Amino acid sequence: MKYTKLGALTVSRLGLGCMGMSHLYTGHSRDEASSIRTIHRALDLGVTHIDTAELYGPFTNEELVGRALVGRRDSVVLATKFGLMSHVGNAGPVDSSAASIRVAVEGSLTRLQTDHIDLYYQHRVDPATPIEDVVGTLSELIAEGKIRHIGLSEAGRETIRRAHAVHPIAALQSEYSLWSRDADDGTLDLLRELGIGFVPYSPLNRGLLTGRLRTRDQLEETDWRLTNPRFLPGAIESNVAIVEEIAEIGGEVGATPAQVSLAWLLAQGDDWSPIPGTIRVDHLEEDLGALDVTLSAEQVQRLTDITPAVGGHHTEAQARLFDR
Ligand SMILES: NC(=O)c1ccc[n+]([C@@H]2O[C@H](COP(=O)([O-])OP(=O)(O)OC[C@H]3O[C@@H](n4cnc5c(N)ncnc54)[C@H](OP(=O)(O)O)[C@@H]3O)[C@@H](O)[C@H]2O)c1
């Protein structure tokens, strides 16, 4: 395993996203044992970066991660998120009021069976609570030993700058992949300027970039992806066809589309720790194989120039929660 820094925090170069073990995706309802085996295998292979949120489930994903980490907590950088679930008063759907953060952190600590969270993210920026106040509350939690580092998710440049002026931000977590490049709007440059790490989420475009998810029929009827623009009838067929461009480069380097997609992300910067999600040991092992894939500069450029996906990466309602 290779390691990197998110701000002052050392994490494995690839992390493990645990959301799909309890939330949104096909398979989570029947596969807790497989999920826990996957977390254990990740730790055995040197993964130290484990990502969850109180939203996932809701709550049950933190409980699952907490159970999986019993006896192994100290070898893990545990990241979770607040701001979309715990509401004190009438606020919502986003709520980063001090009272709500206090409720959220206590709940997460209990469910995760730990006395501290290593990386605590604001899940979505709350327009009603100035970011200075949010980071002020989080600084208090650091002083109390409940959290160690602060992260933001889908935050825009002005928010990042203002937050970092109050207390160092360790990481920004935003959707980023071959097909999702919103952070190219100057956000990535700002992170480098401020020394903030980047955690690309949904790095496999929620499974599409693996080339194995090819039809809507593969998804259970409750799977959230059936409503995602890139999975809609008409779009998914086009997107699956584009993955052939990735498979072609995979053929040149002896790697799968998932590995090539992750290797392209790893080639973007040493200060990134992508968090692919899986509930399967074989998929985890394949994804970690990306660390051994070397792409030439010409291959990286071809991937950078890949045909864009058909459809946005979120619905319009979800995108309204992004801070842009
Ligand atoms: N901050 C935020 O707002 C936010 C939003 C979304 C996600 N996240 C975080 O980011 C993590 C990752 O994102 P994600 O789970 O949405 O998407 P992802 O990592 O892009 O894709 C996950 C999907 O890919 C499949 N997959 C993974 N490796 C595979 C392989 N080698 N072959 C075939 N299929 C493979 C998984 O299925 P199997 O389980 O069957 O392998 C799963 O359906 C989440 O778990 C969560 O922690 C954060």
Side-chain angles (χ1 to χ4, degrees), residues 214-250:
R214 305 183 69 82
T215 68
R216 288 167 57 86
D217 294 344
Q218 288 170 258
L219 303 177
E220 291 169 3
E221 62 184 25
T222 53
D223 194 306
W224 168 82
R225 289 171 290 193
L226 290 172
T227 65
N228 179 284
R230 289 183 179 167
F231 291 78
L232 292 179
I236 187 168
E237 296 82 357
S238 305
N239 291 329
V240 165
I242 299 169
V243 177
E244 291 307 317
E245 298 175 28
I246 306 169
E248 190 180 313
I249 292 174

Side-chain angles (χ1 to χ4, degrees), residues 12-296:
S12 51
R13 199 72 168 80
L14 282 174
L16 176 63
C18 296
M19 180 186 78
M21 298 175 181
S22 315
H23 194 65
L24 296 185
Y25 297 166
T26 295
H28 67 74
S29 53
R30 62 171 185 270
D31 251 337
E32 165 147 345
S34 172
S35 295
I36 290 190
R37 272 199 306 280
T38 304
I39 294 174
H40 288 167
R41 183 71 180 136
L43 302 188
D44 292 343
L45 293 172
V47 171
T48 61
H49 182 187
I50 301 289
D51 189 82
T52 179
E54 65 166 358
L55 178 72
Y56 304 159
F59 306 125
T60 51
N61 191 239
E62 288 186 330
E63 290 169 354
L64 182 153
V65 170
R67 282 195 294 281
L69 295 184
V70 169
R72 306 186 72 166
R73 170 69 185 91
D74 292 344
S75 58
V76 169
V77 172
L78 190 48
T80 192
K81 316 183 192 80
F82 67 89
L84 290 175
M85 276 311 299
S86 294
H87 300 302
V88 176
N90 295 323
V94 288
D95 182 356
S96 289
S97 63
S100 296
I101 294 175
R102 290 266 167 199
V103 170
V105 75
E106 295 304 332
S108 291
L109 288 170
T110 302
R111 290 185 290 274
L112 291 166
Q113 303 189 41
T114 186
D115 63 357
H116 72 277
I117 293 159
D118 297 294
L119 178 55
Y120 201 36
Y121 290 99
Q122 182 191 43
H123 209 149
R124 291 288 181 272
V125 174
D126 175 5
T129 311
I131 195 67
E132 288 81 1
D133 295 355
V134 176
V135 178
T137 303
L138 296 172
S139 304
E140 290 170 17
L141 296 181
I142 290 178
E144 294 164 26
K146 292 178 193 278
I147 70 170
R148 298 265 167 92
H149 299 269
I150 299 172
L152 302 173
S153 179
E154 296 289 4
R157 281 167 289 168
E158 191 194 333
T159 302
I160 295 168
R161 217 180 253 291
R162 284 168 52 199
H164 195 70
V166 177
H167 187 283
I169 301 301
L172 176 75
Q173 180 176 137
S174 290
E175 178 158 353
Y176 200 88
S177 70
L178 281 168
W179 278 342
S180 304
R181 314 236 196 120
D182 293 356
D184 286 349
D185 64 356
T187 302
L188 296 175
D189 294 335
L190 178 64
L191 298 183
R192 293 246 156 83
E193 176 194 323
L194 299 178
I196 299 172
F198 186 52
V199 176
Y201 79 70
S202 301
L204 298 171
N205 203 119
R206 306 175 186 270
L208 271 183
L209 287 169
T210 68
R212 297 220 178 87
L213 180 44
R214 305 183 69 82
T215 68
R216 288 167 57 86
D217 294 344
Q218 288 170 258
L219 303 177
E220 291 169 3
E221 62 184 25
T222 53
D223 194 306
W224 168 82
R225 289 171 290 193
L226 290 172
T227 65
N228 179 284
R230 289 183 179 167
F231 291 78
L232 292 179
I236 187 168
E237 296 82 357
S238 305
N239 291 329
V240 165
I242 299 169
V243 177
E244 291 307 317
E245 298 175 28
I246 306 169
E248 190 180 313
I249 292 174
E252 295 165 13
V253 295
T256 65
Q259 291 172 331
V260 171
S261 300
L262 294 171
W264 177 81
L265 282 173
L266 293 169
Q268 303 305 307
D270 292 339
D271 47 354
W272 290 19
S273 178
I275 46 169
T278 179
I279 60 174
R280 289 176 47 159
V281 168
D282 56 344
H283 287 173
L284 168 83
E285 291 174 347
E286 177 182 332
D287 296 350
L288 294 180
L291 292 161
D292 300 320
V293 173
T294 305
L295 299 170
S296 68

